[in-house]
Amino acid sequence: MNSKEHVLVTGGAGFIGGHLCEALLEQGREVTILDNLDPFYDVGIKKKNLARLADLGKNLRVIQGDIRDPEKVKEAMEGVTGVIHLAALAGVRPSLERPTEYWSVNLVGTQTLLDALKGNPEIPFVFGSSSSVYGGNEKVPFHEDDPVDEPVSPYAATKKAGELCCRVFHHLYGNPVTCLRFFTVYGPRQRPEMAIHKFTRLIDAGKKLPMFGDGESSRDYTFVSDIVEGVVASLDRPIDSSDPSSGFRIYNLGGSATTTLRGLIDRIASALGKEALIERLPMQAGDVLRTFADVSRAEKELGFRAKVSIDQGIPLFVDWFLGTK
Ligand SMILES: NC(=O)c1ccc[n+]([C@@H]2O[C@H](COP(=O)([O-])OP(=O)(O)OC[C@H]3O[C@@H](n4cnc5c(N)ncnc54)[C@H](O)[C@@H]3O)[C@@H](O)[C@H]2O)c1
């Protein structure tokens, strides 16, 4: 049995969290989920995610509560040997409308969890950060040591600030801490407002889809099963006691390839066997022009390598989508 046998997953009812909990349960670990079933998108989707997990066996405990509530957090921490923190208000564009709520959930929530870990320095903490911290970084691919002082959305700023909270906590209390910068994650059960899911829905329905910019902006897309492997590897990563820097690490988890927006739309249309009706609109505030992960550190230290290419992943996503209709 792995030493991290009882894992608290915050945000476990969500897209990535649901997939992650499934993998942890299948490995025979105990899982506690802390999630408030936030109404950012259809709560029914999160309930279905939880029902699927409940079917996987008895090693699951679900606590419906807010990560900013110290009592709920204390309850959720009972008996756990590892924490993976994915609960957040996600999404760049809505963060421009609700910056105060983003700061509250993403920062106060993260600090509340860290506070509850005080006195248990052996418990590792994994934080779900984001490629958005790189802002308008022009040097590609993005490396973990690149400057990240110029985020371009409140969401990105909360993720960068979350990393800083984690760093301070590790410095003061010694827990092993890992910050994972996820690069646009997709796959079955992806959040409905994310581009791949939204474009698939619109193309399938024969409706116009909004394309912001000239279609040349690009993203590094990562299939959710690859992200899950990276997250689990980071939870289990050995800490080298002779290397003081190894207790706190930041890793990019990405596909290490880029796809233009136009190329993405074409792939979805082709997988659906339908035409994309495109409405061109100006670039949106808060969006970045490109993301591109250098994953050499994760490869070397976590054995991470994305296995599902965009050409494989889009048909898998579209198959799942068609199966939900
Ligand atoms: N999906 C991506 O492409 C992507 C990319 C980079 C980073 N991330 C990060 O990964 C994590 C998971 O993303 P996701 O796409 O699965 O999002 P998601 O919205 O599906 O999952 C987040 C979960 O957190 C829960 N939550 C929100 N506020 C909460 C609160 N106050 N207390 C308790 N639970 C709360 C939600 O109910 C939801 O189930 C987030 O931290 C997100 O910022 C995601």
Side-chain angles (χ1 to χ4, degrees):
M1 173 69 88
N2 193 289
S3 64
K4 282 84 178 191
E5 77 253 13
H6 182 175
V7 187
L8 168 62
V9 179
T10 71
F15 162 49
I16 299 174
H19 282 275
L20 172 69
C21 291
E22 202 170 314
L24 293 170
L25 289 167
E26 275 166 2
Q27 290 172 354
R29 306 198 210 209
E30 252 184 273
V31 172
T32 293
I33 289 176
L34 177 62
D35 195 304
N36 70 347
L37 305 188
D38 175 271
F40 173 59
Y41 62 84
D42 181 4
V43 172
I45 297 175
K46 299 180 188 185
K47 288 187 175 160
K48 270 194 205 153
N49 289 344
L50 289 178
R52 183 179 301 105
L53 294 171
D55 285 345
L56 285 176
K58 293 200 179 90
N59 286 341
L60 176 69
R61 183 170 66 130
V62 178
I63 298 173
Q64 188 173 340
D66 196 302
I67 51 168
R68 292 165 292 178
D69 176 346
E71 287 306 313
K72 283 285 180 194
V73 167
K74 192 171 161 212
E75 184 190 341
M77 289 276 184
E78 264 164 37
V80 305
T81 50
V83 178
I84 300 175
H85 172 35
L86 300 180
L89 291 183
V92 168
R93 287 178 197 152
S95 77
L96 275 64
E97 308 298 324
R98 307 159 60 197
T100 314
E101 283 170 75
Y102 270 68
W103 279 106
S104 173
V105 173
N106 295 0
L107 208 60
V108 176
T110 300
Q111 189 61 54
T112 307
L113 288 161
L114 291 168
D115 286 349
L117 272 183
K118 272 186 211 165
N120 296 291
E122 72 291 350
I123 298 183
F125 187 82
V126 178
F127 173 59
S129 185
S130 162
S131 61
S132 64
V133 300
Y134 290 106
N137 194 10
E138 291 194 349
K139 176 192 149 283
V140 287
F142 299 170
H143 188 273
E144 292 88 345
D145 293 335
D146 290 347
V148 286
D149 301 321
E150 296 182 12
V152 296
S153 68
Y155 169 71
T158 66
K159 288 294 176 183
K160 160 76 179 166
E163 290 183 358
L164 290 175
C165 275
C166 288
R167 179 160 203 116
V168 169
F169 186 80
H170 167 72
H171 171 76
L172 293 175
Y173 305 107
N175 296 58
V177 174
T178 312
C179 297
L180 299 174
R181 294 177 177 165
F182 302 150
F183 284 67
T184 316
V185 188
Y186 73 105
R189 312 194 289 278
Q190 190 196 36
R191 298 198 325 257
E193 93 292 355
M194 290 188 75
I196 291 180
H197 200 158
K198 187 166 101 183
F199 292 169
T200 304
R201 211 166 45 237
L202 292 172
I203 297 172
D204 184 55
K207 292 187 180 161
K208 272 193 182 170
L209 68 87
M211 186 178 81
F212 298 103
D214 61 4
E216 287 307 306
S217 62
S218 58
R219 292 279 176 283
D220 189 335
Y221 293 100
T222 324
F223 202 72
V224 66
S225 54
D226 288 325
I227 287 289
V228 165
E229 280 191 19
V231 175
V232 174
S234 72
L235 178 72
D236 293 337
R237 76 185 174 93
I239 305 299
D240 178 357
S241 52
S242 65
D243 173 7
S245 76
S246 79
F248 176 87
R249 297 301 262 171
I250 296 177
Y251 297 102
N252 288 336
L253 293 185
S256 216
T258 58
T259 305
T260 63
L261 184 53
R262 187 67 235 208
L264 179 75
I265 294 169
D266 289 346
R267 282 173 172 86
I268 296 172
S270 148
L272 283 166
K274 295 193 176 176
E275 194 192 343
L277 306 172
I278 293 172
E279 179 182 12
R280 271 189 67 168
L281 294 168
M283 280 291 282
Q284 294 229 308
D287 277 356
V288 297
L289 270 179
R290 66 183 151 191
T291 63
F292 185 1
D294 175 339
V295 293
S296 50
R297 180 184 289 173
E299 194 173 334
K300 182 161 167 256
E301 298 181 13
L302 303 177
F304 172 81
R305 179 175 272 276
K307 298 189 182 88
V308 183
S309 71
I310 193 80
D311 287 321
Q312 296 165 316
I314 291 294
L316 288 173
F317 176 80
V318 167
D319 278 355
W320 166 80
F321 172 84
L322 293 173
T324 62
K325 289 208 310 175

